[in-house]
Amino acid sequence: MSDPRIGFIGLGNVGGPLAGNLLRHGIELTVRDLDPQRVASLVERGARAASSPRELAAGVDLVITCLPSPAVSAQVMEQPDGVLAGLAPGKIWLEMSTTDHAEARRLAARVEERGATAMDCPVSGGCHRAATGNISIFAGGSRAAFERVLPVLSILGQRILHTGPVGSASMLKVLTNYLCTVHLAALAEALTVAKVAGLDMNTTYEAIRISSGNSFVHETESQVILNGSRDINFTMDLVIKDVGLFEALAKDLEVPLELSPLVLGIFRDGARRYGERELSPNIIRRLEDACGVRVLGEGFPAQMVDDEPKIPGYEVTPRPHSP
């Protein structure tokens, strides 16, 4: 797409930085959010505000939604003054929310009835990478649609993977978010054991980082745990939603799960104790409270910052299958 007019709906912890990244690249941007302060901050930087999803969709070439749940996405798309009412042939809708794959396909069919094109394009890698444009993007839809939007996705993200038809990207995003949650729960246990054992927590962090126990979650979320802020811009209710989507997918496919129900129970208990909007890394508080300790290190950041320079986004090609 050459010089597309883009509309962005949902300016939260991920959507706001993504929209800001488009502005930094000189994109003509229209925005919409229920929080007027989020809208105002982008308008001050050059965006235009829309009074409704319908107005936004009618005035742009490409609509991006980045919303907190499948129910909210459906409402934004299908209400009388929603996105669907403003779509027309030739326009494109990118669903960047973490959503249910069946819901993504259902809404995509409604988009296509309007003559427009639909893709599900969830992101992965943390809010700090959304702000810099170094986040990863899964893109579900036809190959032709993918190639059409790749220039825009290359601005929004660094590593872009075409996953197959609409819905495939949402399935993979739910799967990867589930794995992140498992890693976080395991790290909470490992770090607490290290603390109670009297190990130095900075040394513990480095030992895990350089070992086979390392993970992306350790390199990011363990740092804000050890700082004490526990601020990764992600909350327990969102963890429960994402793991619930993973469990629903497995149930539909008749895959018997053992670990997922345990992890979901841990976070439901955390939400009961500390509130649904508690930051997700504070799941470690359950163990801190039980052991009478605070799991802290020294010199760790309060929030993650992506200090890597933005590089042009590129398509990630899966390894070829062996004959």
Side-chain angles (χ1 to χ4, degrees):
M1 299 182 74
S2 136
D3 299 324
R5 298 168 301 165
I6 297 179
F8 207 110
I9 302 175
L11 306 175
N13 292 334
V14 174
L18 289 173
N21 196 28
L22 291 172
L23 278 179
R24 283 196 300 275
H25 284 79
I27 297 292
E28 183 180 336
L29 186 68
T30 304
V31 295
R32 171 75 180 163
D33 194 276
L34 294 180
D35 185 338
Q37 292 184 340
R38 291 174 177 172
V39 173
S41 68
L42 288 169
V43 169
E44 289 174 1
R45 296 164 58 186
R48 186 178 75 85
S51 62
S52 70
R54 177 178 183 172
E55 178 190 305
L56 179 142
V60 301
D61 306 302
L62 187 153
V63 179
I64 298 173
T65 50
C66 190
L67 299 162
S69 72
V72 174
S73 288
Q75 181 183 17
V76 167
M77 294 295 290
E78 297 180 302
Q79 63 191 30
D81 61 349
V83 169
L84 286 172
L87 292 179
K91 294 180 184 285
I92 301 174
W93 169 56
L94 299 185
E95 170 64 291
M96 301 194 85
S97 316
T98 300
T99 189
D100 174 70
H101 70 285
E103 185 67 0
R105 289 171 178 165
R106 185 186 72 81
L107 290 174
R110 296 210 61 190
V111 167
E112 289 164 5
E113 289 172 359
R114 306 281 299 180
T117 299
M119 297 189 70
D120 60 327
C121 297
V123 300
S124 183
C127 300
H128 60 299
R129 290 188 175 180
T132 60
N134 286 330
I135 205 161
S136 297
I137 302 175
F138 303 151
S142 71
R143 183 70 203 184
F146 174 74
E147 292 179 356
R148 188 178 171 195
V149 302
L150 185 56
V152 173
L153 296 180
S154 297
I155 293 172
L156 289 168
Q158 181 185 107
R159 290 163 293 189
I160 303 143
L161 177 66
H162 182 226
T163 61
V166 171
S168 59
S170 292
M171 283 191 278
L172 285 167
K173 176 60 190 301
V174 166
L175 185 152
T176 58
N177 274 19
Y178 163 67
L179 289 172
C180 287
T181 305
V182 173
H183 295 173
L184 177 57
L187 282 163
E189 293 186 348
L191 293 174
T192 304
V193 168
K195 177 67 177 180
V196 174
L199 296 175
D200 178 82
M201 297 312 299
N202 287 51
T203 302
T204 298
Y205 174 84
E206 291 299 333
I208 297 171
R209 188 184 66 83
I210 66 173
S211 75
S212 57
N214 192 33
S215 67
F216 175 84
V217 177
H218 175 61
E219 292 194 2
T220 54
E221 300 197 38
S222 288
Q223 294 203 58
V224 298
I225 286 173
L226 293 170
N227 169 273
S229 76
R230 282 77 197 269
D231 188 0
I232 206 70
N233 282 319
F234 205 73
T235 52
M236 292 194 187
D237 60 333
L238 295 178
V239 170
I240 292 166
K241 182 261 292 185
D242 287 352
V243 179
L245 288 172
F246 174 76
E247 285 210 328
L249 174 61
K251 183 177 180 180
D252 288 345
L253 297 171
E254 298 182 351
V255 178
L257 300 179
E258 296 177 316
L259 189 57
S260 174
L262 294 175
V263 173
L264 189 57
I266 288 170
F267 277 88
R268 283 176 172 158
D269 181 64
R272 283 192 295 268
R273 292 174 185 236
Y274 310 118
E276 291 185 346
R277 301 300 294 169
E278 179 63 81
L279 294 163
S280 58
N282 251 332
I283 198 66
I284 197 171
R285 285 181 60 187
R286 296 170 68 255
L287 297 168
E288 289 178 320
D289 292 349
C291 299
V293 297
R294 282 280 283 162
V295 180
L296 299 172
E298 296 181 359
F300 291 95
Q303 287 187 316
M304 295 308 303
V305 176
D306 181 19
D307 55 8
E308 296 181 8
K310 166 63 178 172
I311 67 171
Y314 60 91
E315 181 180 359
V316 175
T317 304
R319 294 182 181 182
H321 295 289
S322 300

